[in-house]
Amino acid sequence: MDLDRLRRDAAAVLRDGRAKMVIGFRDRAGDRVPAFITDPDGAGELVFDETCLANLAAYLRKAELKRFRPVAIVARPHVCRSLLLLAAEAQIQAADVLVLAVGDQEYHGVLDLAGAAALLNEKYAEIPHDPEVLKRIEEISALSPEERAAFWAEQFAKCTRCYACRAACPMCYCTRCIVEKNVPQWISTAAARHGNYAWNIIRAFHLAGRCTECGACEAACPQGIPLMLLNVSLARGVEEEFGVKAGYDAEAEPLVGSWSADDSEDFIR
Amino acid sequence: MKLIDANKLSDLASALAGAGYRVVAPIEDSGVVRLKEWTEGAAIRTDVIPVNSAKDFLFPPSEVIGHWDIDGDGFTPRDVRPDAPKTVLLAVRPCDAASLALLDTVFNWDYRDDFYNARRQAATVVPMVCTAADAQCFCTSVGGAPDAAASADAMLRSADGGAKFILEPLTDKGSALLGAAGDAVREGEATADPPAEVPRRFDVEAVTDWLSRNFESDLWVTLSLGCLGCGACAYACPTCHCFDMQDEATRRESVRLKNWDSCGFGLFTLHAGGHNPRPDQAARWRQRVMHKFAYIPERFNLLGCTGCGRCARLCGAGMSMSEVCQRIADETRKALTHAS
């Protein structure tokens, strides 16, 4: 990773006004935490490595940050996909963001959304699902329904309903989430079995066909709930059933939100 | 003095469980060390600061505080009593115990909370002196210490280079616990290990002073840039005590619940008419800091933060109470420099 070039580019986009803010990562006593840089001289504190799991595209929904647009975001391929998907879902405009694109090994430079799409399709068209997660999914799929229910009951029992998973996800941008629908209350907000099941399953399926498998939700969960088992399982299902991988085309109609007259199901016609 | 081999803490847990205590201790659970109810065979991890705090067992995430059976147009209330088994909070941290002064106060200030009080009275608090601290620990900046015994019924002190613990009772509850420990504890001599060195990271009086003059400040936006508005910090915090009341009903019964809530959420202050007096994370973080370092000191002469660092350790967005307080204390210092 050419960190010097990343820092130079970050300083350059701030200096020449292409971005009012760079959002990247800095070091805090060994932790990698988000950095918000408006002064070109501050770009030297940027770092990037494989522990930078937060998906910085989530900051695009933050009201206080709108006045800093256009904003340049340090983005690995999964995060680039989130940005394209946000554009496809009409949440951001191409002019709102620049991408400081980081890959597995290399730094790819400053890109606009079209450039990020080109990079993704050229170099990262086949991002494999996390093999460890796939293995766990196979193991859990092989269990009996009762054993599977017991596994998830144990996982969801840990949930305190802090919604760190939701906050970490760029695609969770609803101004009023289903758990905040309280006139009347749509689903139980108690950190107890019934509501925890409802919350975790609804969160996962609202991301079907929208999750780019960045892993930020699972990394953010203080309780260590294996959310990626649900996310990858659904993403794989969407891929198999609909041939769709989210976040490769900012012009594409989102899977949920589009329909086809040629659909094989009768009910939709 | 009373000693336990460091690798025999489970024997102590077992003896206490046998004597009728619910034993709550730091236990690893699928890669996360958390305070949870000890069961036979679970290894107690004293080397990691648990992700949750001891408050979970005094003020649980969700608690039924009322229950009614509904019959047509009528209803019959059920007698709902606190679920408050005799509990030992074993090998918690001094920063957990430090939070009890505030929780005891706030749950008995204008209204005596029977549910909190029943659990609190049933709890024996046995913190462990910290012999290691990490970059997020800041107890010494908020009046605490890695060997503070405030609100402790007994203390566990690491001794002989971590080979043993000294169990020292401090109250009647602590003596009763020692009595229940039986053979798990033996008489002997050992040398206590030095407590961790926790550097003082900011001057808390400078923070409170700045807060008194800066409700309106552009700095709040800067300080809160990272926050994405979840409740993880509040839920891990040993002193955060806000809750929401919810009624959940079917045609046959209705329960009233006391659920954790957090000022980090937009819904926390959203008015029925649609106005939100805290419209963004800048306003919500200001509340978080003000509550802990201005309002609680003003009202109760206590601090609302024990410097445990849990919030910063788990925040995926990199927010840190000690970092925010350092920045605020720096502002005061800058202002003083300009004035002189």
Side-chain angles (χ1 to χ4, degrees), chain A residues 10 14 29 36 39 45 49-50 56 75 94 122-123 127 152-153 183 200 208 215 218-219 225 229-230:
Chain A
L14 290 171
F36 303 86
D39 177 356
E45 72 168 341
D49 61 30
E50 71 284 353
L56 302 178
E122 188 185 318
K123 282 206 146 134
I127 304 176
W152 285 111
V183 197
N200 280 280
E218 188 174 291
I225 301 171
L229 295 178
L230 297 170

PDB file of all heavy atoms in Angstrom, chain A residues 10 14 29 36 39 45 49-50 56 75 94 122-123 127 152-153 183 200 208 215 218-219 225 229-230:
ATOM      1  N   ALA A  10      -4.828  12.941  -0.723  1.00  0.00           N
ATOM      2  CA  ALA A  10      -5.797  13.506   0.222  1.00  0.00           C
ATOM      3  C   ALA A  10      -5.523  14.997   0.412  1.00  0.00           C
ATOM      4  O   ALA A  10      -6.445  15.824   0.379  1.00  0.00           O
ATOM      5  CB  ALA A  10      -5.712  12.763   1.558  1.00  0.00           C
ATOM      6  N   LEU A  14      -7.963  18.346  -1.022  1.00  0.00           N
ATOM      7  CA  LEU A  14      -8.393  19.406  -0.094  1.00  0.00           C
ATOM      8  C   LEU A  14      -7.852  20.752  -0.543  1.00  0.00           C
ATOM      9  O   LEU A  14      -8.548  21.775  -0.531  1.00  0.00           O
ATOM     10  CB  LEU A  14      -7.897  19.106   1.331  1.00  0.00           C
ATOM     11  CG  LEU A  14      -8.559  17.929   2.045  1.00  0.00           C
ATOM     12  CD1 LEU A  14      -7.824  17.616   3.342  1.00  0.00           C
ATOM     13  CD2 LEU A  14     -10.038  18.217   2.335  1.00  0.00           C
ATOM     14  N   ALA A  29      -3.560   4.965  19.388  1.00  0.00           N
ATOM     15  CA  ALA A  29      -2.945   3.964  20.281  1.00  0.00           C
ATOM     16  C   ALA A  29      -3.123   2.545  19.755  1.00  0.00           C
ATOM     17  O   ALA A  29      -3.515   1.645  20.489  1.00  0.00           O
ATOM     18  CB  ALA A  29      -3.518   4.106  21.695  1.00  0.00           C
ATOM     19  N   PHE A  36     -11.346  12.746  10.246  1.00  0.00           N
ATOM     20  CA  PHE A  36     -12.093  13.733   9.467  1.00  0.00           C
ATOM     21  C   PHE A  36     -11.165  14.909   9.220  1.00  0.00           C
ATOM     22  O   PHE A  36     -10.876  15.679  10.131  1.00  0.00           O
ATOM     23  CB  PHE A  36     -13.348  14.154  10.229  1.00  0.00           C
ATOM     24  CG  PHE A  36     -14.225  12.982  10.559  1.00  0.00           C
ATOM     25  CD1 PHE A  36     -14.007  12.237  11.710  1.00  0.00           C
ATOM     26  CD2 PHE A  36     -15.221  12.574   9.683  1.00  0.00           C
ATOM     27  CE1 PHE A  36     -14.772  11.127  12.002  1.00  0.00           C
ATOM     28  CE2 PHE A  36     -15.998  11.465   9.960  1.00  0.00           C
ATOM     29  CZ  PHE A  36     -15.771  10.738  11.124  1.00  0.00           C
ATOM     30  N   ASP A  39      -8.027  20.116   6.763  1.00  0.00           N
ATOM     31  CA  ASP A  39      -6.805  20.879   6.528  1.00  0.00           C
ATOM     32  C   ASP A  39      -5.802  19.986   5.783  1.00  0.00           C
ATOM     33  O   ASP A  39      -5.477  18.898   6.273  1.00  0.00           O
ATOM     34  CB  ASP A  39      -6.252  21.300   7.901  1.00  0.00           C
ATOM     35  CG  ASP A  39      -4.924  22.046   7.792  1.00  0.00           C
ATOM     36  OD1 ASP A  39      -4.404  22.169   6.654  1.00  0.00           O
ATOM     37  OD2 ASP A  39      -4.429  22.485   8.840  1.00  0.00           O
ATOM     38  N   GLU A  45      -1.757  12.168   8.767  1.00  0.00           N
ATOM     39  CA  GLU A  45      -2.127  11.203   9.814  1.00  0.00           C
ATOM     40  C   GLU A  45      -2.911  10.016   9.256  1.00  0.00           C
ATOM     41  O   GLU A  45      -3.238   9.076   9.994  1.00  0.00           O
ATOM     42  CB  GLU A  45      -2.903  11.891  10.944  1.00  0.00           C
ATOM     43  CG  GLU A  45      -4.307  12.303  10.588  1.00  0.00           C
ATOM     44  CD  GLU A  45      -5.129  12.711  11.824  1.00  0.00           C
ATOM     45  OE1 GLU A  45      -4.759  12.346  12.958  1.00  0.00           O
ATOM     46  OE2 GLU A  45      -6.148  13.394  11.630  1.00  0.00           O
ATOM     47  N   ASP A  49      -4.969  -0.165   6.786  1.00  0.00           N
ATOM     48  CA  ASP A  49      -4.553  -1.561   6.775  1.00  0.00           C
ATOM     49  C   ASP A  49      -5.798  -2.444   6.887  1.00  0.00           C
ATOM     50  O   ASP A  49      -6.928  -1.931   6.875  1.00  0.00           O
ATOM     51  CB  ASP A  49      -3.533  -1.864   7.878  1.00  0.00           C
ATOM     52  CG  ASP A  49      -4.092  -1.614   9.265  1.00  0.00           C
ATOM     53  OD1 ASP A  49      -5.318  -1.767   9.458  1.00  0.00           O
ATOM     54  OD2 ASP A  49      -3.309  -1.253  10.179  1.00  0.00           O
ATOM     55  N   GLU A  50      -5.582  -3.750   6.989  1.00  0.00           N
ATOM     56  CA  GLU A  50      -6.722  -4.676   6.946  1.00  0.00           C
ATOM     57  C   GLU A  50      -7.617  -4.586   8.181  1.00  0.00           C
ATOM     58  O   GLU A  50      -8.706  -5.170   8.191  1.00  0.00           O
ATOM     59  CB  GLU A  50      -6.227  -6.117   6.722  1.00  0.00           C
ATOM     60  CG  GLU A  50      -5.494  -6.772   7.894  1.00  0.00           C
ATOM     61  CD  GLU A  50      -4.056  -6.268   8.069  1.00  0.00           C
ATOM     62  OE1 GLU A  50      -3.571  -5.512   7.201  1.00  0.00           O
ATOM     63  OE2 GLU A  50      -3.434  -6.626   9.086  1.00  0.00           O
ATOM     64  N   LEU A  56     -16.799   3.689   5.789  1.00  0.00           N
ATOM     65  CA  LEU A  56     -16.893   5.141   5.941  1.00  0.00           C
ATOM     66  C   LEU A  56     -18.004   5.752   5.088  1.00  0.00           C
ATOM     67  O   LEU A  56     -18.376   6.915   5.293  1.00  0.00           O
ATOM     68  CB  LEU A  56     -15.544   5.794   5.626  1.00  0.00           C
ATOM     69  CG  LEU A  56     -14.372   5.293   6.495  1.00  0.00           C
ATOM     70  CD1 LEU A  56     -13.067   5.963   6.064  1.00  0.00           C
ATOM     71  CD2 LEU A  56     -14.625   5.549   7.976  1.00  0.00           C
ATOM     72  N   ALA A  75     -11.748   4.305   0.540  1.00  0.00           N
ATOM     73  CA  ALA A  75     -12.697   3.202   0.336  1.00  0.00           C
ATOM     74  C   ALA A  75     -12.015   1.984  -0.255  1.00  0.00           C
ATOM     75  O   ALA A  75     -11.369   2.061  -1.292  1.00  0.00           O
ATOM     76  CB  ALA A  75     -13.840   3.664  -0.574  1.00  0.00           C
ATOM     77  N   ALA A  94     -23.407  11.891  -7.821  1.00  0.00           N
ATOM     78  CA  ALA A  94     -22.006  11.681  -8.205  1.00  0.00           C
ATOM     79  C   ALA A  94     -21.122  12.835  -7.738  1.00  0.00           C
ATOM     80  O   ALA A  94     -19.967  12.635  -7.356  1.00  0.00           O
ATOM     81  CB  ALA A  94     -21.896  11.500  -9.710  1.00  0.00           C
ATOM     82  N   GLU A 122     -13.449  -3.982 -13.353  1.00  0.00           N
ATOM     83  CA  GLU A 122     -12.228  -4.477 -13.982  1.00  0.00           C
ATOM     84  C   GLU A 122     -11.443  -5.381 -13.036  1.00  0.00           C
ATOM     85  O   GLU A 122     -11.028  -6.471 -13.394  1.00  0.00           O
ATOM     86  CB  GLU A 122     -11.384  -3.265 -14.380  1.00  0.00           C
ATOM     87  CG  GLU A 122     -10.166  -3.603 -15.216  1.00  0.00           C
ATOM     88  CD  GLU A 122      -9.321  -2.359 -15.454  1.00  0.00           C
ATOM     89  OE1 GLU A 122      -9.912  -1.286 -15.730  1.00  0.00           O
ATOM     90  OE2 GLU A 122      -8.096  -2.450 -15.306  1.00  0.00           O
ATOM     91  N   LYS A 123     -11.259  -4.909 -11.784  1.00  0.00           N
ATOM     92  CA  LYS A 123     -10.338  -5.614 -10.878  1.00  0.00           C
ATOM     93  C   LYS A 123     -11.006  -6.402  -9.772  1.00  0.00           C
ATOM     94  O   LYS A 123     -10.410  -7.318  -9.204  1.00  0.00           O
ATOM     95  CB  LYS A 123      -9.400  -4.585 -10.210  1.00  0.00           C
ATOM     96  CG  LYS A 123      -8.290  -4.133 -11.112  1.00  0.00           C
ATOM     97  CD  LYS A 123      -7.118  -3.684 -10.253  1.00  0.00           C
ATOM     98  CE  LYS A 123      -5.861  -4.002 -10.935  1.00  0.00           C
ATOM     99  NZ  LYS A 123      -4.790  -3.334 -11.142  1.00  0.00           N
ATOM    100  N   ILE A 127     -15.360 -10.632  -6.089  1.00  0.00           N
ATOM    101  CA  ILE A 127     -14.901 -10.666  -4.694  1.00  0.00           C
ATOM    102  C   ILE A 127     -15.533 -11.900  -4.065  1.00  0.00           C
ATOM    103  O   ILE A 127     -16.756 -12.012  -4.010  1.00  0.00           O
ATOM    104  CB  ILE A 127     -15.340  -9.405  -3.918  1.00  0.00           C
ATOM    105  CG1 ILE A 127     -14.842  -8.135  -4.629  1.00  0.00           C
ATOM    106  CG2 ILE A 127     -14.833  -9.460  -2.481  1.00  0.00           C
ATOM    107  CD1 ILE A 127     -15.310  -6.843  -3.977  1.00  0.00           C
ATOM    108  N   TRP A 152     -29.407 -19.817  16.923  1.00  0.00           N
ATOM    109  CA  TRP A 152     -29.734 -18.389  16.771  1.00  0.00           C
ATOM    110  C   TRP A 152     -30.320 -17.806  18.050  1.00  0.00           C
ATOM    111  O   TRP A 152     -30.094 -16.637  18.363  1.00  0.00           O
ATOM    112  CB  TRP A 152     -30.652 -18.168  15.561  1.00  0.00           C
ATOM    113  CG  TRP A 152     -29.877 -18.296  14.290  1.00  0.00           C
ATOM    114  CD1 TRP A 152     -29.977 -19.274  13.354  1.00  0.00           C
ATOM    115  CD2 TRP A 152     -28.815 -17.424  13.834  1.00  0.00           C
ATOM    116  NE1 TRP A 152     -29.065 -19.077  12.345  1.00  0.00           N
ATOM    117  CE2 TRP A 152     -28.339 -17.950  12.608  1.00  0.00           C
ATOM    118  CE3 TRP A 152     -28.229 -16.263  14.340  1.00  0.00           C
ATOM    119  CZ2 TRP A 152     -27.302 -17.353  11.886  1.00  0.00           C
ATOM    120  CZ3 TRP A 152     -27.202 -15.674  13.622  1.00  0.00           C
ATOM    121  CH2 TRP A 152     -26.748 -16.209  12.411  1.00  0.00           C
ATOM    122  N   ALA A 153     -31.040 -18.627  18.798  1.00  0.00           N
ATOM    123  CA  ALA A 153     -31.568 -18.127  20.077  1.00  0.00           C
ATOM    124  C   ALA A 153     -30.413 -17.707  20.978  1.00  0.00           C
ATOM    125  O   ALA A 153     -30.464 -16.658  21.629  1.00  0.00           O
ATOM    126  CB  ALA A 153     -32.409 -19.204  20.752  1.00  0.00           C
ATOM    127  N   VAL A 183     -45.820   4.480  16.891  1.00  0.00           N
ATOM    128  CA  VAL A 183     -47.195   4.961  17.028  1.00  0.00           C
ATOM    129  C   VAL A 183     -48.103   4.130  16.122  1.00  0.00           C
ATOM    130  O   VAL A 183     -48.554   4.644  15.114  1.00  0.00           O
ATOM    131  CB  VAL A 183     -47.306   6.458  16.657  1.00  0.00           C
ATOM    132  CG1 VAL A 183     -48.606   7.031  17.197  1.00  0.00           C
ATOM    133  CG2 VAL A 183     -46.134   7.263  17.168  1.00  0.00           C
ATOM    134  N   ASN A 200     -33.145  -8.603  14.530  1.00  0.00           N
ATOM    135  CA  ASN A 200     -31.990  -9.135  13.793  1.00  0.00           C
ATOM    136  C   ASN A 200     -32.391  -9.708  12.439  1.00  0.00           C
ATOM    137  O   ASN A 200     -31.649  -9.592  11.463  1.00  0.00           O
ATOM    138  CB  ASN A 200     -31.247 -10.173  14.635  1.00  0.00           C
ATOM    139  CG  ASN A 200     -30.338  -9.512  15.664  1.00  0.00           C
ATOM    140  OD1 ASN A 200     -29.248  -9.077  15.343  1.00  0.00           O
ATOM    141  ND2 ASN A 200     -30.813  -9.391  16.893  1.00  0.00           N
ATOM    142  N   ALA A 208     -31.131  -7.625   2.057  1.00  0.00           N
ATOM    143  CA  ALA A 208     -31.022  -8.642   1.000  1.00  0.00           C
ATOM    144  C   ALA A 208     -30.867  -7.939  -0.349  1.00  0.00           C
ATOM    145  O   ALA A 208     -31.653  -7.062  -0.696  1.00  0.00           O
ATOM    146  CB  ALA A 208     -32.256  -9.528   1.002  1.00  0.00           C
ATOM    147  N   GLY A 215     -18.680  -6.211   6.176  1.00  0.00           N
ATOM    148  CA  GLY A 215     -18.380  -6.731   7.517  1.00  0.00           C
ATOM    149  C   GLY A 215     -18.402  -5.695   8.619  1.00  0.00           C
ATOM    150  O   GLY A 215     -18.103  -6.007   9.773  1.00  0.00           O
ATOM    151  N   GLU A 218     -20.856  -6.510  11.713  1.00  0.00           N
ATOM    152  CA  GLU A 218     -20.361  -7.532  12.638  1.00  0.00           C
ATOM    153  C   GLU A 218     -19.182  -6.990  13.453  1.00  0.00           C
ATOM    154  O   GLU A 218     -19.063  -7.258  14.648  1.00  0.00           O
ATOM    155  CB  GLU A 218     -19.952  -8.788  11.872  1.00  0.00           C
ATOM    156  CG  GLU A 218     -19.619  -9.941  12.779  1.00  0.00           C
ATOM    157  CD  GLU A 218     -19.359 -11.237  12.023  1.00  0.00           C
ATOM    158  OE1 GLU A 218     -20.307 -11.789  11.453  1.00  0.00           O
ATOM    159  OE2 GLU A 218     -18.195 -11.680  12.000  1.00  0.00           O
ATOM    160  N   ALA A 219     -18.310  -6.220  12.791  1.00  0.00           N
ATOM    161  CA  ALA A 219     -17.167  -5.642  13.509  1.00  0.00           C
ATOM    162  C   ALA A 219     -17.644  -4.662  14.570  1.00  0.00           C
ATOM    163  O   ALA A 219     -17.011  -4.507  15.614  1.00  0.00           O
ATOM    164  CB  ALA A 219     -16.231  -4.948  12.526  1.00  0.00           C
ATOM    165  N   ILE A 225     -22.118 -10.925  17.855  1.00  0.00           N
ATOM    166  CA  ILE A 225     -23.146 -11.721  17.165  1.00  0.00           C
ATOM    167  C   ILE A 225     -22.694 -11.896  15.703  1.00  0.00           C
ATOM    168  O   ILE A 225     -22.330 -10.920  15.052  1.00  0.00           O
ATOM    169  CB  ILE A 225     -24.524 -11.026  17.247  1.00  0.00           C
ATOM    170  CG1 ILE A 225     -24.918 -10.842  18.717  1.00  0.00           C
ATOM    171  CG2 ILE A 225     -25.591 -11.832  16.500  1.00  0.00           C
ATOM    172  CD1 ILE A 225     -26.142  -9.973  18.938  1.00  0.00           C
ATOM    173  N   LEU A 229     -23.134 -14.222   8.992  1.00  0.00           N
ATOM    174  CA  LEU A 229     -23.757 -15.490   8.590  1.00  0.00           C
ATOM    175  C   LEU A 229     -25.090 -15.208   7.906  1.00  0.00           C
ATOM    176  O   LEU A 229     -25.428 -15.820   6.884  1.00  0.00           O
ATOM    177  CB  LEU A 229     -23.977 -16.394   9.808  1.00  0.00           C
ATOM    178  CG  LEU A 229     -22.735 -16.907  10.540  1.00  0.00           C
ATOM    179  CD1 LEU A 229     -23.143 -17.744  11.739  1.00  0.00           C
ATOM    180  CD2 LEU A 229     -21.852 -17.716   9.609  1.00  0.00           C
ATOM    181  N   LEU A 230     -25.846 -14.281   8.464  1.00  0.00           N
ATOM    182  CA  LEU A 230     -27.139 -13.927   7.873  1.00  0.00           C
ATOM    183  C   LEU A 230     -26.934 -13.155   6.571  1.00  0.00           C
ATOM    184  O   LEU A 230     -27.563 -13.440   5.559  1.00  0.00           O
ATOM    185  CB  LEU A 230     -27.945 -13.071   8.856  1.00  0.00           C
ATOM    186  CG  LEU A 230     -28.343 -13.725  10.175  1.00  0.00           C
ATOM    187  CD1 LEU A 230     -28.919 -12.688  11.127  1.00  0.00           C
ATOM    188  CD2 LEU A 230     -29.356 -14.828   9.935  1.00  0.00           C
TER     189      LEU A 230
END
